[in-house]
């Protein structure tokens, strides 16, 4: 025992694993293959540590495998690993050398969750936060939209929960499922892709594979990560009504859907968001408290607390 080493995983190691039967069958996937990888992952979630006893169980002598046999073994193991990641719902592996291997959605696949019900995606109902692949796609879409609006000279700003994320974290809120951006309605046609949508009445795919369209729910626009993957940025056209109050033509009944004074937008100010510098109202705290209520920045909450509250998931470790 003095020479034993404690570790969190035995991936790739030949091993004889000793554990109590009741512990093995308390796991949701006790014998999923590859068994060593499967048990290591499930043990890590429970905080179990594995005790290595070097040379305690020497391997039997075997003839060296042929090159074809080695290829078959590697290929079989890789197929098992990918099936295991899908079974566990794991979207991202960080390998020992720091490389990342993704198993989640991309440009050619649908996003990892279905329709949003009561402002609550499926992963929140299950006690998880946004899958890392979905956050990666949202960040890419947000950066692309910001670059296009900046290049076109469109007056835009981060809205709602996206502005909350920028002020709190400089990033998308880790449980969010879209990005909200406001813009001046008079500037919509300055953006070539929005102008093309208005002219054709149909969705337009840009050269980088992002899909621009008019939303079916009302007078606003959406930019999707791709035709297949509907993770998106919502673009809300605002205009000033008499008295200098900013309003819009579509209201979806969300908590933050309120009119506000135009003075918040004159001038707009820079803010870090999703790896780029975006634009924000000039008094983000006052703007957010107008929309969400006092203490909005310091008191995070899920979009619909009647369905699930943040406190259900942060009493211990944050959900993964």
């Amino acid at each position: 025992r003095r020479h034993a080493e404690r570790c969190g995983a035995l991936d790739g190691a030949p091993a004889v694993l000793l554990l109590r039967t009741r512990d093995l069958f308390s796991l949701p996937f006790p014998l999923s293959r590859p068994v060593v990888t499967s048990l290591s992952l499930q043990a890590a979630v429970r905080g179990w540590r594995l005790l290595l006893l070097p040379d305690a169980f020497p391997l039997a002598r075997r003839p060296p495998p042929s090159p074809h046999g080695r290829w078959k073994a590697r290929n079989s193991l890789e197929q098992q690993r990918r099936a295991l990641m899908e079974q566990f719902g794991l979207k991202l592996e960080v390998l020992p050398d720091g490389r990342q291997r993704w198993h989640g959605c991309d440009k050619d696949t649908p996003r990892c969750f279905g329709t949003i019900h009561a402002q609550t995606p499926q992963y929140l109902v299950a006690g998880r936060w946004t899958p890392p692949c979905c956050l990666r796609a949202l960040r890419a879409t947000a950066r692309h939209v910001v670059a296009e609006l900046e290049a076109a000279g469109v007056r835009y700003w981060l809205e709602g929960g996206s502005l909350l994320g920028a002020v709190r974290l400089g990033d998308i809120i880790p449980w969010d499922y879209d990005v909200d951006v406001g813009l001046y309605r008079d500037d919509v046609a300055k953006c070539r892709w929005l102008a093309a949508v208005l002219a054709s009445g149909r969705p337009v795919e840009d050269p980088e594979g992002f899909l621009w369209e008019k939303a079916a729910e009302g007078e606003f626009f959406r930019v999707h990560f791709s035709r297949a993957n509907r993770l998106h940025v919502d673009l809300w056209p605002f205009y000033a009504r008499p008295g200098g109050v900013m309003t819009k033509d579509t209201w979806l009944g969300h908590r933050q859907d309120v009119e506000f004074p135009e003075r918040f937008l004159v001038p707009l100010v820079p803010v870090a968001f999703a790896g780029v510098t975006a634009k924000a109202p000039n008094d983000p705290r006052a703007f957010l408290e107008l929309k969400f209520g006092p203490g909005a920045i310091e008191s995070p909450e899920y979009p619909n607390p009647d369905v699930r509250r943040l406190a259900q998931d942060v009493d211990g470790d944050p959900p993964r």
Side-chain angles (χ1 to χ4, degrees):
R1 183 173 294 272
R2 285 182 306 159
H3 303 292
E5 178 184 354
R6 292 187 177 275
C7 69
L10 295 172
D11 193 18
V16 175
L17 187 64
L18 303 179
L19 73 164
R20 293 175 298 191
T21 302
R22 68 173 181 268
D23 290 335
L24 173 64
F25 289 101
S26 73
L27 301 174
F29 307 99
L31 298 177
S32 293
R33 301 179 67 186
V35 173
V36 173
T37 302
S38 171
L39 291 180
S40 295
L41 288 170
Q42 295 176 81
V45 171
R46 286 158 177 76
W48 297 356
R49 306 294 285 177
L50 306 172
L51 183 64
L52 301 183
L53 303 175
D55 302 324
F57 299 96
L59 294 177
R61 292 181 178 274
R62 295 182 180 180
S66 66
H68 181 66
R70 289 195 297 271
W71 174 84
K72 284 183 65 177
R74 285 195 305 269
N75 192 51
S76 174
L77 182 60
E78 181 60 25
Q79 289 178 355
Q80 289 177 8
R81 286 176 62 88
R82 290 193 176 277
L84 184 69
M85 297 303 127
E86 183 175 348
Q87 183 181 23
F88 283 1
L90 295 177
K91 309 298 184 180
L92 171 63
E93 280 185 277
V94 179
L95 303 179
D97 61 5
R99 290 183 296 117
Q100 295 182 344
R101 180 156 50 191
W102 291 88
H103 301 283
C105 63
D106 57 30
K107 282 269 192 186
D108 299 320
T109 68
R111 67 189 186 186
C112 298
F113 55 95
T115 302
I116 310 300
H117 295 287
Q119 302 180 57
T120 307
Q122 293 166 339
Y123 55 80
L124 270 188
V125 175
R128 295 174 177 262
W129 287 355
T130 313
C133 49
C134 296
L135 277 177
R136 179 179 62 161
L138 279 175
R139 291 188 185 107
T141 309
R143 290 193 293 265
H144 182 71
V145 169
V146 164
E148 291 291 337
L149 297 180
E150 293 271 5
V154 173
R155 294 168 291 173
Y156 75 93
W157 59 95
L158 296 176
E159 268 284 342
S162 300
L163 181 59
L164 272 173
V167 173
R168 288 176 186 156
L169 309 167
D171 201 356
I172 296 168
I173 291 174
W175 54 80
D176 216 347
Y177 51 84
D178 64 5
V179 171
D180 289 306
V181 172
L183 71 163
Y184 275 84
R185 187 175 67 178
D186 290 347
D187 289 358
V188 167
K190 291 182 179 179
C191 174
R192 55 180 171 166
W193 309 115
L194 294 177
V197 170
L198 289 173
S200 67
R202 297 189 300 274
V204 173
E205 185 175 2
D206 69 27
E208 296 185 48
F210 295 90
L211 189 71
W212 301 67
E213 69 175 8
K214 184 178 179 297
E217 297 94 324
E219 298 304 311
F220 63 102
F221 300 91
R222 281 206 171 113
V223 186
H224 299 275
F225 185 49
S226 69
R227 286 186 181 273
N229 192 323
R230 310 300 274 187
L231 288 158
H232 60 265
V233 173
D234 282 335
L235 296 170
W236 299 93
F238 282 83
Y239 57 93
R241 63 176 177 81
V245 174
M246 298 298 293
T247 190
K248 56 190 175 83
D249 290 333
T250 295
W251 305 90
L252 299 183
H254 296 168
R255 179 182 178 187
Q256 66 268 28
D257 261 1
V258 297
E259 297 177 332
F260 58 90
E262 189 178 13
R263 59 179 170 80
F264 281 114
L265 309 179
V266 185
L268 293 165
V269 298
V271 64
F273 183 67
V276 296
T277 299
K279 295 288 177 32
N282 53 57
D283 189 345
R285 175 176 292 278
F287 187 83
L288 288 168
E289 292 194 345
L290 172 67
K291 296 228 168 192
F292 292 99
I297 295 173
E298 293 80 13
S299 303
E301 185 51 271
Y302 289 155
N304 189 346
D306 291 335
V307 176
R308 190 174 185 89
R309 300 190 66 87
L310 180 62
Q312 294 176 251
D313 296 322
V314 296
D315 290 337
D317 291 334
R320 293 173 172 83

